[in-house]
Amino acid sequence: AKASAEWFDEYHTYEEIVTWYTQLAAENPSLVRFVSSIGQSGEGRFQPAVHIAGESTGNSSRHRIYFQCQIHAREWISGATCMYVVNHLVTSYATDSRVKALLDSVEFVVVPLVNPDGYHYTMNGDRLWRKNRRINTGSNCRGVDQNRNYDSHWNEGGSSSNPCSETYHGPGPASEPETKNTQNYFRENFPIVGAIDWHSYSQLILRPWGYTSADSPDEARLSQLGTSMRE
């Protein structure tokens, strides 16, 4: 369904967001495929995914762009932004030549709720909660910062080993089910040529690498892309 302007006037619960994506896929089956779960969170909530693509090019290895949203629980607008972008792509396909050309050439893979437990808790407990809701053995402090839990240069700086820290990286790489689920789904959907992890802290466009001050091999291209996005 085309989201009304009123839908974006307020934030929505986990259940409402899942229902919205489900209905969007049901009403636009030629453009949207809804995956009800790529895995479950620590508290048993499903992590859905959404695929958006236009007319088939006859190429089964169509390049993909990956979005993931709402990894930090309190950053509500990150998930809302993903819904807004998805809504624009789907509802503009028939009328906007640029959107049509884009969706006919690439497929968007969107994981809209990376941290469903933390997000639920911000609406029903602590509004400024950031992490997931893991029970940390030997500590009264809960949660792992999933953004620092991925199995890529884990614990190489920029995170904490203290379970009470908001940047606690967890007991090991990809220790959290939500992290494992998104890692696996990302790998299952190769070839991915671009990815954005949506946040709302500050007004920055960050690019690789995050674990070192050294430039990535693609620094020139990524710098140009980031500048274009900013402008």
Side-chain angles (χ1 to χ4, degrees):
K2 181 178 180 179
S4 64
E6 290 76 18
W7 173 261
F8 294 111
D9 285 344
E10 60 185 14
Y11 293 108
H12 299 277
T13 66
Y14 163 82
E15 292 81 7
E16 290 170 341
I17 293 170
V18 172
T19 297
W20 184 83
Y21 279 107
T22 304
Q23 292 177 343
L24 186 74
E27 297 180 12
N28 300 274
S30 64
L31 291 176
V32 185
R33 178 168 63 91
F34 180 74
V35 179
S36 61
S37 179
I38 64 170
Q40 289 182 267
S41 68
E43 294 182 343
R45 293 181 176 86
F46 294 125
Q47 290 176 282
V50 181
H51 293 244
I52 308 147
E55 297 176 357
S56 173
T57 60
N59 183 0
S60 60
S61 61
R62 177 193 295 228
H63 286 166
R64 295 183 174 97
I65 296 174
Y66 178 86
F67 287 172
Q68 65 176 32
C69 328
Q70 208 65 64
I71 192 170
H72 284 150
R74 63 192 178 198
E75 297 177 12
W76 289 2
I77 202 169
S78 68
T81 298
C82 286
M83 280 192 288
Y84 191 89
V85 172
V86 167
N87 183 69
H88 176 74
L89 291 173
V90 173
T91 60
S92 301
Y93 179 77
T95 58
D96 188 319
S97 59
R98 293 181 303 171
V99 171
K100 186 178 189 306
L102 178 64
L103 290 183
D104 286 349
S105 59
V106 300
E107 177 181 1
F108 283 83
V109 181
V110 182
V111 179
L113 292 157
V114 174
N115 185 6
D117 298 344
Y119 182 67
H120 175 80
Y121 186 63
T122 61
M123 289 198 159
N124 296 277
D126 181 354
R127 170 64 184 89
L128 295 180
W129 188 257
R130 167 186 166 103
K131 302 182 285 184
N132 71 359
R133 295 294 294 157
R134 176 191 179 93
I135 297 174
N136 293 311
T137 303
S139 174
N140 292 326
C141 299
R142 296 187 62 162
V144 167
D145 181 1
Q146 296 158 306
N147 197 46
R148 287 158 175 79
N149 184 241
Y150 283 94
D151 189 7
S152 176
H153 301 278
W154 180 83
N155 192 23
E156 291 186 14
S159 65
S160 173
S161 59
N162 181 358
C164 297
S165 170
E166 288 196 330
T167 59
Y168 175 49
H169 50 53
S175 60
E176 306 311 290
E178 303 92 346
T179 306
K180 290 178 183 175
N181 296 338
T182 50
Q183 275 190 183
N184 292 340
Y185 205 67
F186 183 91
R187 290 166 176 158
E188 289 170 12
N189 280 281
F190 284 170
I192 291 174
V193 297
I196 299 178
D197 188 351
W198 293 85
H199 291 257
S200 65
Y201 182 83
S202 190
Q203 297 180 5
L204 301 170
I205 299 171
L206 305 180
R207 60 182 183 267
W209 302 115
Y211 65 92
T212 175
S213 59
D215 288 344
S216 80
D218 300 308
E219 168 60 20
R221 180 179 295 182
L222 291 171
S223 176
Q224 182 182 32
L225 179 61
T227 299
S228 298
M229 293 171 68
R230 181 191 64 194
E231 296 174 349

